[in-house]
mmCIF file of all heavy atoms in Angstrom:
data_model
loop_
_atom_site.group_PDB
_atom_site.id
_atom_site.type_symbol
_atom_site.label_atom_id
_atom_site.label_comp_id
_atom_site.label_asym_id
_atom_site.label_seq_id
_atom_site.Cartn_x
_atom_site.Cartn_y
_atom_site.Cartn_z
ATOM 1 N N THR A 1 -13.790 13.237 -22.146
ATOM 2 C CA THR A 1 -14.969 13.084 -23.005
ATOM 3 C C THR A 1 -16.240 12.787 -22.215
ATOM 4 O O THR A 1 -17.350 13.010 -22.705
ATOM 5 C CB THR A 1 -14.740 11.946 -24.015
ATOM 6 O OG1 THR A 1 -14.608 10.698 -23.305
ATOM 7 C CG2 THR A 1 -13.484 12.188 -24.834
ATOM 8 N N GLY A 2 -16.065 12.284 -20.990
ATOM 9 C CA GLY A 2 -17.221 11.939 -20.172
ATOM 10 C C GLY A 2 -17.853 10.620 -20.536
ATOM 11 O O GLY A 2 -18.907 10.256 -19.990
ATOM 12 N N SER A 3 -17.246 9.881 -21.426
ATOM 13 C CA SER A 3 -17.804 8.602 -21.848
ATOM 14 C C SER A 3 -16.983 7.448 -21.312
ATOM 15 O O SER A 3 -15.826 7.608 -20.907
ATOM 16 C CB SER A 3 -17.848 8.522 -23.388
ATOM 17 O OG SER A 3 -16.537 8.639 -23.926
ATOM 18 N N ALA A 4 -17.587 6.263 -21.295
ATOM 19 C CA ALA A 4 -16.896 5.071 -20.807
ATOM 20 C C ALA A 4 -15.879 4.611 -21.838
ATOM 21 O O ALA A 4 -16.205 4.437 -23.016
ATOM 22 C CB ALA A 4 -17.897 3.967 -20.517
ATOM 23 N N SER A 5 -14.642 4.439 -21.390
ATOM 24 C CA SER A 5 -13.594 3.980 -22.291
ATOM 25 C C SER A 5 -13.283 2.502 -22.104
ATOM 26 O O SER A 5 -12.637 1.889 -22.942
ATOM 27 C CB SER A 5 -12.321 4.802 -22.091
ATOM 28 O OG SER A 5 -11.861 4.699 -20.749
ATOM 29 N N TYR A 6 -13.763 1.950 -20.983
ATOM 30 C CA TYR A 6 -13.489 0.533 -20.716
ATOM 31 C C TYR A 6 -14.444 0.057 -19.620
ATOM 32 O O TYR A 6 -14.843 0.838 -18.736
ATOM 33 C CB TYR A 6 -12.039 0.344 -20.275
ATOM 34 C CG TYR A 6 -11.665 -1.089 -19.967
ATOM 35 C CD1 TYR A 6 -11.450 -2.024 -20.986
ATOM 36 C CD2 TYR A 6 -11.551 -1.533 -18.658
ATOM 37 C CE1 TYR A 6 -11.126 -3.342 -20.707
ATOM 38 C CE2 TYR A 6 -11.217 -2.839 -18.360
ATOM 39 C CZ TYR A 6 -11.013 -3.734 -19.394
ATOM 40 O OH TYR A 6 -10.703 -5.054 -19.116
ATOM 41 N N LYS A 7 -14.803 -1.198 -19.658
ATOM 42 C CA LYS A 7 -15.639 -1.798 -18.630
ATOM 43 C C LYS A 7 -14.850 -2.860 -17.891
ATOM 44 O O LYS A 7 -14.495 -3.891 -18.454
ATOM 45 C CB LYS A 7 -16.897 -2.417 -19.236
ATOM 46 C CG LYS A 7 -17.917 -2.874 -18.195
ATOM 47 C CD LYS A 7 -19.230 -3.272 -18.825
ATOM 48 C CE LYS A 7 -20.257 -3.629 -17.754
ATOM 49 N NZ LYS A 7 -21.564 -3.985 -18.355
ATOM 50 N N LYS A 8 -14.563 -2.569 -16.637
ATOM 51 C CA LYS A 8 -13.777 -3.494 -15.817
ATOM 52 C C LYS A 8 -14.619 -4.704 -15.429
ATOM 53 O O LYS A 8 -15.761 -4.562 -14.984
ATOM 54 C CB LYS A 8 -13.270 -2.796 -14.545
ATOM 55 C CG LYS A 8 -12.366 -3.667 -13.682
ATOM 56 C CD LYS A 8 -11.843 -2.908 -12.480
ATOM 57 C CE LYS A 8 -12.870 -2.802 -11.384
ATOM 58 N NZ LYS A 8 -13.189 -4.113 -10.750
ATOM 59 N N LYS A 9 -14.042 -5.891 -15.605
ATOM 60 C CA LYS A 9 -14.746 -7.132 -15.294
ATOM 61 C C LYS A 9 -14.592 -7.474 -13.814
ATOM 62 O O LYS A 9 -13.748 -6.923 -13.104
ATOM 63 C CB LYS A 9 -14.204 -8.273 -16.164
ATOM 64 C CG LYS A 9 -14.346 -8.019 -17.655
ATOM 65 C CD LYS A 9 -13.734 -9.159 -18.453
ATOM 66 C CE LYS A 9 -13.881 -8.911 -19.949
ATOM 67 N NZ LYS A 9 -13.140 -7.703 -20.388
ATOM 68 N N LYS A 10 -15.410 -8.431 -13.344
ATOM 69 C CA LYS A 10 -15.410 -8.799 -11.928
ATOM 70 C C LYS A 10 -14.072 -9.359 -11.469
ATOM 71 O O LYS A 10 -13.690 -9.207 -10.310
ATOM 72 C CB LYS A 10 -16.522 -9.819 -11.639
ATOM 73 C CG LYS A 10 -17.931 -9.250 -11.737
ATOM 74 C CD LYS A 10 -18.979 -10.321 -11.500
ATOM 75 C CE LYS A 10 -18.904 -10.875 -10.096
ATOM 76 N NZ LYS A 10 -20.001 -11.840 -9.816
ATOM 77 N N ASN A 11 -13.357 -10.024 -12.361
ATOM 78 C CA ASN A 11 -12.080 -10.636 -11.962
ATOM 79 C C ASN A 11 -10.884 -9.733 -12.253
ATOM 80 O O ASN A 11 -9.741 -10.186 -12.227
ATOM 81 C CB ASN A 11 -11.903 -11.981 -12.664
ATOM 82 C CG ASN A 11 -11.828 -11.842 -14.186
ATOM 83 O OD1 ASN A 11 -12.203 -10.806 -14.733
ATOM 84 N ND2 ASN A 11 -11.356 -12.884 -14.848
ATOM 85 N N GLU A 12 -11.134 -8.452 -12.533
ATOM 86 C CA GLU A 12 -10.062 -7.501 -12.793
ATOM 87 C C GLU A 12 -9.973 -6.490 -11.654
ATOM 88 O O GLU A 12 -10.957 -6.238 -10.949
ATOM 89 C CB GLU A 12 -10.286 -6.780 -14.126
ATOM 90 C CG GLU A 12 -10.189 -7.699 -15.337
ATOM 91 C CD GLU A 12 -10.447 -6.969 -16.640
ATOM 92 O OE1 GLU A 12 -11.218 -5.990 -16.632
ATOM 93 O OE2 GLU A 12 -9.871 -7.383 -17.675
ATOM 94 N N THR A 13 -8.805 -5.903 -11.505
ATOM 95 C CA THR A 13 -8.592 -4.920 -10.450
ATOM 96 C C THR A 13 -7.724 -3.784 -10.969
ATOM 97 O O THR A 13 -6.964 -3.961 -11.937
ATOM 98 C CB THR A 13 -7.920 -5.562 -9.215
ATOM 99 O OG1 THR A 13 -7.822 -4.591 -8.167
ATOM 100 C CG2 THR A 13 -6.531 -6.086 -9.538
ATOM 101 N N ASP A 14 -7.865 -2.639 -10.338
ATOM 102 C CA ASP A 14 -7.080 -1.453 -10.685
ATOM 103 C C ASP A 14 -6.231 -1.088 -9.468
ATOM 104 O O ASP A 14 -6.638 -0.275 -8.638
ATOM 105 C CB ASP A 14 -8.017 -0.309 -11.069
ATOM 106 C CG ASP A 14 -7.260 0.963 -11.442
ATOM 107 O OD1 ASP A 14 -6.070 0.852 -11.812
ATOM 108 O OD2 ASP A 14 -7.857 2.060 -11.342
ATOM 109 N N PRO A 15 -5.046 -1.695 -9.335
ATOM 110 C CA PRO A 15 -4.261 -1.530 -8.101
ATOM 111 C C PRO A 15 -3.639 -0.139 -7.960
ATOM 112 O O PRO A 15 -3.316 0.517 -8.949
ATOM 113 C CB PRO A 15 -3.176 -2.599 -8.230
ATOM 114 C CG PRO A 15 -3.023 -2.796 -9.698
ATOM 115 C CD PRO A 15 -4.388 -2.594 -10.292
ATOM 116 N N THR A 16 -3.488 0.267 -6.705
ATOM 117 C CA THR A 16 -2.842 1.537 -6.361
ATOM 118 C C THR A 16 -1.553 1.236 -5.601
ATOM 119 O O THR A 16 -1.555 0.395 -4.691
ATOM 120 C CB THR A 16 -3.760 2.393 -5.468
ATOM 121 O OG1 THR A 16 -4.956 2.689 -6.199
ATOM 122 C CG2 THR A 16 -3.087 3.691 -5.066
ATOM 123 N N PRO A 17 -0.449 1.908 -5.949
ATOM 124 C CA PRO A 17 0.816 1.650 -5.244
ATOM 125 C C PRO A 17 0.923 2.471 -3.952
ATOM 126 O O PRO A 17 0.584 3.654 -3.912
ATOM 127 C CB PRO A 17 1.867 2.087 -6.263
ATOM 128 C CG PRO A 17 1.189 3.169 -7.055
ATOM 129 C CD PRO A 17 -0.266 2.798 -7.113
ATOM 130 N N PHE A 18 1.392 1.832 -2.890
ATOM 131 C CA PHE A 18 1.631 2.477 -1.601
ATOM 132 C C PHE A 18 3.089 2.217 -1.207
ATOM 133 O O PHE A 18 3.504 1.062 -1.084
ATOM 134 C CB PHE A 18 0.706 1.923 -0.522
ATOM 135 C CG PHE A 18 -0.754 2.184 -0.749
ATOM 136 C CD1 PHE A 18 -1.516 1.329 -1.543
ATOM 137 C CD2 PHE A 18 -1.378 3.278 -0.173
ATOM 138 C CE1 PHE A 18 -2.866 1.549 -1.761
ATOM 139 C CE2 PHE A 18 -2.732 3.517 -0.380
ATOM 140 C CZ PHE A 18 -3.468 2.653 -1.175
ATOM 141 N N TYR A 19 3.847 3.269 -0.981
ATOM 142 C CA TYR A 19 5.259 3.139 -0.632
ATOM 143 C C TYR A 19 5.411 2.819 0.855
ATOM 144 O O TYR A 19 4.584 3.225 1.692
ATOM 145 C CB TYR A 19 5.997 4.439 -0.958
ATOM 146 C CG TYR A 19 7.485 4.416 -0.681
ATOM 147 C CD1 TYR A 19 8.352 3.694 -1.488
ATOM 148 C CD2 TYR A 19 8.019 5.126 0.394
ATOM 149 C CE1 TYR A 19 9.712 3.665 -1.241
ATOM 150 C CE2 TYR A 19 9.377 5.109 0.646
ATOM 151 C CZ TYR A 19 10.220 4.382 -0.166
ATOM 152 O OH TYR A 19 11.573 4.352 0.083
ATOM 153 N N PHE A 20 6.477 2.097 1.209
ATOM 154 C CA PHE A 20 6.748 1.802 2.615
ATOM 155 C C PHE A 20 8.247 1.719 2.865
ATOM 156 O O PHE A 20 9.042 1.453 1.955
ATOM 157 C CB PHE A 20 6.080 0.490 3.050
ATOM 158 C CG PHE A 20 6.765 -0.755 2.538
ATOM 159 C CD1 PHE A 20 7.704 -1.413 3.317
ATOM 160 C CD2 PHE A 20 6.473 -1.256 1.276
ATOM 161 C CE1 PHE A 20 8.350 -2.555 2.847
ATOM 162 C CE2 PHE A 20 7.103 -2.396 0.805
ATOM 163 C CZ PHE A 20 8.045 -3.045 1.580
ATOM 164 N N GLN A 21 8.636 1.958 4.106
ATOM 165 C CA GLN A 21 10.003 1.734 4.597
ATOM 166 C C GLN A 21 9.909 0.995 5.922
ATOM 167 O O GLN A 21 9.105 1.342 6.782
ATOM 168 C CB GLN A 21 10.760 3.048 4.799
ATOM 169 C CG GLN A 21 11.293 3.681 3.546
ATOM 170 C CD GLN A 21 12.204 4.875 3.845
ATOM 171 O OE1 GLN A 21 12.603 5.117 4.989
ATOM 172 N NE2 GLN A 21 12.549 5.622 2.811
ATOM 173 N N LEU A 22 10.755 -0.011 6.072
ATOM 174 C CA LEU A 22 10.809 -0.810 7.294
ATOM 175 C C LEU A 22 12.257 -0.866 7.763
ATOM 176 O O LEU A 22 13.118 -1.390 7.067
ATOM 177 C CB LEU A 22 10.275 -2.214 7.020
ATOM 178 C CG LEU A 22 10.312 -3.243 8.158
ATOM 179 C CD1 LEU A 22 9.535 -2.742 9.366
ATOM 180 C CD2 LEU A 22 9.749 -4.581 7.679
ATOM 181 N N HIS A 23 12.537 -0.293 8.938
ATOM 182 C CA HIS A 23 13.898 -0.212 9.472
ATOM 183 C C HIS A 23 14.021 -1.128 10.683
ATOM 184 O O HIS A 23 13.292 -0.972 11.669
ATOM 185 C CB HIS A 23 14.231 1.232 9.860
ATOM 186 C CG HIS A 23 14.287 2.161 8.684
ATOM 187 N ND1 HIS A 23 15.475 2.620 8.153
ATOM 188 C CD2 HIS A 23 13.304 2.705 7.931
ATOM 189 C CE1 HIS A 23 15.214 3.411 7.125
ATOM 190 N NE2 HIS A 23 13.906 3.478 6.970
ATOM 191 N N LEU A 24 14.968 -2.072 10.618
ATOM 192 C CA LEU A 24 15.137 -3.086 11.658
ATOM 193 C C LEU A 24 16.610 -3.187 12.052
ATOM 194 O O LEU A 24 17.291 -4.163 11.711
ATOM 195 C CB LEU A 24 14.627 -4.437 11.156
ATOM 196 C CG LEU A 24 13.165 -4.463 10.685
ATOM 197 C CD1 LEU A 24 12.888 -5.737 9.895
ATOM 198 C CD2 LEU A 24 12.223 -4.344 11.872
ATOM 199 N N PRO A 25 17.148 -2.210 12.785
ATOM 200 C CA PRO A 25 18.569 -2.231 13.163
ATOM 201 C C PRO A 25 18.906 -3.477 13.974
ATOM 202 O O PRO A 25 18.178 -3.852 14.895
ATOM 203 C CB PRO A 25 18.725 -0.962 14.014
ATOM 204 C CG PRO A 25 17.555 -0.106 13.660
ATOM 205 C CD PRO A 25 16.444 -1.041 13.327
ATOM 206 N N SER A 26 20.024 -4.106 13.652
ATOM 207 C CA SER A 26 20.350 -5.406 14.246
ATOM 208 C C SER A 26 20.595 -5.338 15.750
ATOM 209 O O SER A 26 20.383 -6.323 16.451
ATOM 210 C CB SER A 26 21.574 -6.005 13.546
ATOM 211 O OG SER A 26 22.721 -5.193 13.754
ATOM 212 N N LYS A 27 21.031 -4.173 16.263
ATOM 213 C CA LYS A 27 21.348 -4.067 17.684
ATOM 214 C C LYS A 27 20.175 -3.557 18.522
ATOM 215 O O LYS A 27 20.310 -3.351 19.724
ATOM 216 C CB LYS A 27 22.558 -3.146 17.883
ATOM 217 C CG LYS A 27 23.842 -3.696 17.275
ATOM 218 C CD LYS A 27 25.015 -2.774 17.550
ATOM 219 C CE LYS A 27 26.307 -3.330 16.943
ATOM 220 N NZ LYS A 27 27.464 -2.439 17.204
ATOM 221 N N GLU A 28 19.028 -3.333 17.879
ATOM 222 C CA GLU A 28 17.860 -2.809 18.577
ATOM 223 C C GLU A 28 16.793 -3.889 18.746
ATOM 224 O O GLU A 28 16.809 -4.926 18.055
ATOM 225 C CB GLU A 28 17.260 -1.631 17.794
ATOM 226 C CG GLU A 28 18.179 -0.417 17.700
ATOM 227 C CD GLU A 28 18.246 0.357 19.000
ATOM 228 O OE1 GLU A 28 17.364 0.153 19.876
ATOM 229 O OE2 GLU A 28 19.163 1.169 19.157
ATOM 230 N N ASP A 29 15.853 -3.642 19.656
ATOM 231 C CA ASP A 29 14.714 -4.546 19.809
ATOM 232 C C ASP A 29 13.410 -3.852 19.422
ATOM 233 O O ASP A 29 12.321 -4.361 19.689
ATOM 234 C CB ASP A 29 14.625 -5.102 21.235
ATOM 235 C CG ASP A 29 14.462 -4.015 22.294
ATOM 236 O OD1 ASP A 29 14.259 -2.836 21.925
ATOM 237 O OD2 ASP A 29 14.551 -4.334 23.488
ATOM 238 N N ARG A 30 13.523 -2.676 18.801
ATOM 239 C CA ARG A 30 12.377 -1.958 18.245
ATOM 240 C C ARG A 30 12.783 -1.379 16.894
ATOM 241 O O ARG A 30 13.863 -0.811 16.759
ATOM 242 C CB ARG A 30 11.921 -0.822 19.160
ATOM 243 C CG ARG A 30 11.311 -1.275 20.496
ATOM 244 C CD ARG A 30 11.025 -0.084 21.385
ATOM 245 N NE ARG A 30 12.245 0.662 21.663
ATOM 246 C CZ ARG A 30 12.279 1.964 21.939
ATOM 247 N NH1 ARG A 30 11.174 2.672 21.943
ATOM 248 N NH2 ARG A 30 13.428 2.548 22.191
ATOM 249 N N GLY A 31 11.918 -1.540 15.907
ATOM 250 C CA GLY A 31 12.157 -0.974 14.593
ATOM 251 C C GLY A 31 11.036 -0.023 14.232
ATOM 252 O O GLY A 31 10.091 0.176 15.004
ATOM 253 N N ILE A 32 11.112 0.575 13.047
ATOM 254 C CA ILE A 32 10.108 1.549 12.619
ATOM 255 C C ILE A 32 9.588 1.174 11.230
ATOM 256 O O ILE A 32 10.371 0.918 10.315
ATOM 257 C CB ILE A 32 10.688 2.972 12.587
ATOM 258 C CG1 ILE A 32 11.124 3.386 13.992
ATOM 259 C CG2 ILE A 32 9.660 3.967 12.042
ATOM 260 C CD1 ILE A 32 11.781 4.754 14.053
ATOM 261 N N LEU A 33 8.277 1.148 11.106
ATOM 262 C CA LEU A 33 7.596 0.931 9.829
ATOM 263 C C LEU A 33 6.877 2.208 9.452
ATOM 264 O O LEU A 33 6.085 2.736 10.239
ATOM 265 C CB LEU A 33 6.590 -0.218 9.946
ATOM 266 C CG LEU A 33 5.637 -0.415 8.764
ATOM 267 C CD1 LEU A 33 6.394 -0.814 7.509
ATOM 268 C CD2 LEU A 33 4.557 -1.450 9.104
ATOM 269 N N CYS A 34 7.133 2.722 8.256
ATOM 270 C CA CYS A 34 6.487 3.937 7.769
ATOM 271 C C CYS A 34 5.769 3.583 6.467
ATOM 272 O O CYS A 34 6.381 3.027 5.550
ATOM 273 C CB CYS A 34 7.525 5.036 7.539
ATOM 274 S SG CYS A 34 6.826 6.698 7.334
ATOM 275 N N MET A 35 4.466 3.902 6.386
ATOM 276 C CA MET A 35 3.656 3.485 5.257
ATOM 277 C C MET A 35 2.887 4.661 4.660
ATOM 278 O O MET A 35 2.370 5.521 5.392
ATOM 279 C CB MET A 35 2.663 2.391 5.684
ATOM 280 C CG MET A 35 3.294 1.241 6.434
ATOM 281 S SD MET A 35 2.257 -0.228 6.449
ATOM 282 C CE MET A 35 2.524 -0.829 4.798
ATOM 283 N N GLN A 36 2.793 4.682 3.344
ATOM 284 C CA GLN A 36 2.091 5.743 2.641
ATOM 285 C C GLN A 36 0.583 5.573 2.738
ATOM 286 O O GLN A 36 0.062 4.459 2.801
ATOM 287 C CB GLN A 36 2.500 5.760 1.164
ATOM 288 C CG GLN A 36 1.858 6.872 0.351
ATOM 289 C CD GLN A 36 2.116 6.736 -1.139
ATOM 290 O OE1 GLN A 36 2.870 5.856 -1.562
ATOM 291 N NE2 GLN A 36 1.494 7.571 -1.940
ATOM 292 N N LYS A 37 -0.129 6.714 2.730
ATOM 293 C CA LYS A 37 -1.582 6.721 2.653
ATOM 294 C C LYS A 37 -2.015 7.594 1.488
ATOM 295 O O LYS A 37 -1.352 8.574 1.148
ATOM 296 C CB LYS A 37 -2.204 7.251 3.945
ATOM 297 C CG LYS A 37 -2.038 6.348 5.154
ATOM 298 C CD LYS A 37 -2.984 6.739 6.263
ATOM 299 C CE LYS A 37 -4.422 6.480 5.890
ATOM 300 N NZ LYS A 37 -5.369 6.777 6.996
ATOM 301 N N TRP A 38 -3.123 7.231 0.874
ATOM 302 C CA TRP A 38 -3.782 8.057 -0.139
ATOM 303 C C TRP A 38 -5.120 8.472 0.437
ATOM 304 O O TRP A 38 -6.016 7.653 0.585
ATOM 305 C CB TRP A 38 -4.001 7.280 -1.427
ATOM 306 C CG TRP A 38 -2.844 7.217 -2.359
ATOM 307 C CD1 TRP A 38 -2.139 6.127 -2.746
ATOM 308 C CD2 TRP A 38 -2.259 8.322 -3.068
ATOM 309 N NE1 TRP A 38 -1.149 6.463 -3.633
ATOM 310 C CE2 TRP A 38 -1.208 7.809 -3.857
ATOM 311 C CE3 TRP A 38 -2.522 9.701 -3.115
ATOM 312 C CZ2 TRP A 38 -0.410 8.612 -4.665
ATOM 313 C CZ3 TRP A 38 -1.735 10.505 -3.924
ATOM 314 C CH2 TRP A 38 -0.699 9.961 -4.697
ATOM 315 N N GLY A 39 -5.265 9.741 0.810
ATOM 316 C CA GLY A 39 -6.498 10.153 1.457
ATOM 317 C C GLY A 39 -6.722 9.339 2.717
ATOM 318 O O GLY A 39 -5.888 9.321 3.614
ATOM 319 N N LEU A 40 -7.845 8.629 2.782
ATOM 320 C CA LEU A 40 -8.140 7.768 3.925
ATOM 321 C C LEU A 40 -7.723 6.318 3.678
ATOM 322 O O LEU A 40 -7.905 5.457 4.543
ATOM 323 C CB LEU A 40 -9.647 7.810 4.251
ATOM 324 C CG LEU A 40 -10.199 9.187 4.652
ATOM 325 C CD1 LEU A 40 -11.709 9.093 4.879
ATOM 326 C CD2 LEU A 40 -9.505 9.720 5.900
ATOM 327 N N SER A 41 -7.173 6.044 2.499
ATOM 328 C CA SER A 41 -6.826 4.671 2.138
ATOM 329 C C SER A 41 -5.373 4.350 2.480
ATOM 330 O O SER A 41 -4.484 5.177 2.269
ATOM 331 C CB SER A 41 -7.049 4.450 0.638
ATOM 332 O OG SER A 41 -8.402 4.668 0.290
ATOM 333 N N GLY A 42 -5.158 3.158 2.988
ATOM 334 C CA GLY A 42 -3.809 2.699 3.301
ATOM 335 C C GLY A 42 -3.754 1.180 3.286
ATOM 336 O O GLY A 42 -4.769 0.507 3.066
ATOM 337 N N VAL A 43 -2.568 0.651 3.533
ATOM 338 C CA VAL A 43 -2.384 -0.808 3.467
ATOM 339 C C VAL A 43 -1.774 -1.363 4.751
ATOM 340 O O VAL A 43 -1.276 -2.479 4.767
ATOM 341 C CB VAL A 43 -1.495 -1.192 2.263
ATOM 342 C CG1 VAL A 43 -2.227 -0.965 0.958
ATOM 343 C CG2 VAL A 43 -0.177 -0.421 2.279
ATOM 344 N N LYS A 44 -1.825 -0.586 5.818
ATOM 345 C CA LYS A 44 -1.196 -1.045 7.055
ATOM 346 C C LYS A 44 -1.815 -2.341 7.566
ATOM 347 O O LYS A 44 -1.111 -3.286 7.938
ATOM 348 C CB LYS A 44 -1.291 0.048 8.119
ATOM 349 C CG LYS A 44 -0.555 -0.273 9.413
ATOM 350 C CD LYS A 44 -1.452 -0.826 10.490
ATOM 351 C CE LYS A 44 -0.722 -1.066 11.786
ATOM 352 N NZ LYS A 44 -1.621 -1.534 12.866
ATOM 353 N N SER A 45 -3.149 -2.406 7.603
ATOM 354 C CA SER A 45 -3.819 -3.610 8.110
ATOM 355 C C SER A 45 -3.492 -4.824 7.257
ATOM 356 O O SER A 45 -3.215 -5.914 7.773
ATOM 357 C CB SER A 45 -5.335 -3.395 8.167
ATOM 358 O OG SER A 45 -5.664 -2.389 9.097
ATOM 359 N N LEU A 46 -3.514 -4.644 5.934
ATOM 360 C CA LEU A 46 -3.188 -5.748 5.036
ATOM 361 C C LEU A 46 -1.750 -6.205 5.246
ATOM 362 O O LEU A 46 -1.479 -7.402 5.376
ATOM 363 C CB LEU A 46 -3.410 -5.321 3.585
ATOM 364 C CG LEU A 46 -3.116 -6.373 2.505
ATOM 365 C CD1 LEU A 46 -4.080 -6.214 1.340
ATOM 366 C CD2 LEU A 46 -1.681 -6.261 1.982
ATOM 367 N N PHE A 47 -0.828 -5.251 5.294
ATOM 368 C CA PHE A 47 0.586 -5.584 5.471
ATOM 369 C C PHE A 47 0.797 -6.318 6.796
ATOM 370 O O PHE A 47 1.489 -7.333 6.865
ATOM 371 C CB PHE A 47 1.417 -4.310 5.420
ATOM 372 C CG PHE A 47 2.905 -4.544 5.517
ATOM 373 C CD1 PHE A 47 3.645 -4.855 4.381
ATOM 374 C CD2 PHE A 47 3.571 -4.441 6.729
ATOM 375 C CE1 PHE A 47 5.014 -5.067 4.466
ATOM 376 C CE2 PHE A 47 4.931 -4.655 6.825
ATOM 377 C CZ PHE A 47 5.660 -4.965 5.683
ATOM 378 N N GLN A 48 0.200 -5.795 7.867
ATOM 379 C CA GLN A 48 0.369 -6.405 9.182
ATOM 380 C C GLN A 48 -0.190 -7.823 9.210
ATOM 381 O O GLN A 48 0.455 -8.745 9.726
ATOM 382 C CB GLN A 48 -0.330 -5.554 10.241
ATOM 383 C CG GLN A 48 -0.208 -6.120 11.648
ATOM 384 C CD GLN A 48 -0.770 -5.171 12.695
ATOM 385 O OE1 GLN A 48 -1.184 -4.057 12.385
ATOM 386 N NE2 GLN A 48 -0.789 -5.601 13.933
#
């Protein structure tokens, strides 16, 4: 419709889900973290 259906308030947020996998084999000293990105957006820095 091109019209406003809702006005988000300052204390509200519209979260986006980002998938991740973290592999930590017990016999290894290095694991792998794989994280989803949406365009240029990601959550690696926040997660870390």
Side-chain angles (χ1 to χ4, degrees):
T1 64
S3 60
S5 59
Y6 180 75
K7 189 171 184 178
K8 184 177 78 68
K9 301 177 180 63
K10 290 178 64 175
N11 63 344
E12 294 179 330
T13 184
D14 180 22
T16 298
F18 296 85
Y19 182 72
F20 75 94
Q21 282 188 11
L22 177 58
H23 294 256
L24 303 166
S26 64
K27 295 182 180 180
E28 295 285 344
D29 60 8
R30 292 174 301 153
I32 298 177
L33 170 65
C34 194
M35 309 199 77
Q36 182 189 354
K37 291 196 67 176
W38 277 116
L40 298 177
S41 300
V43 290
K44 185 262 183 177
S45 295
L46 180 146
F47 183 85
Q48 180 173 356

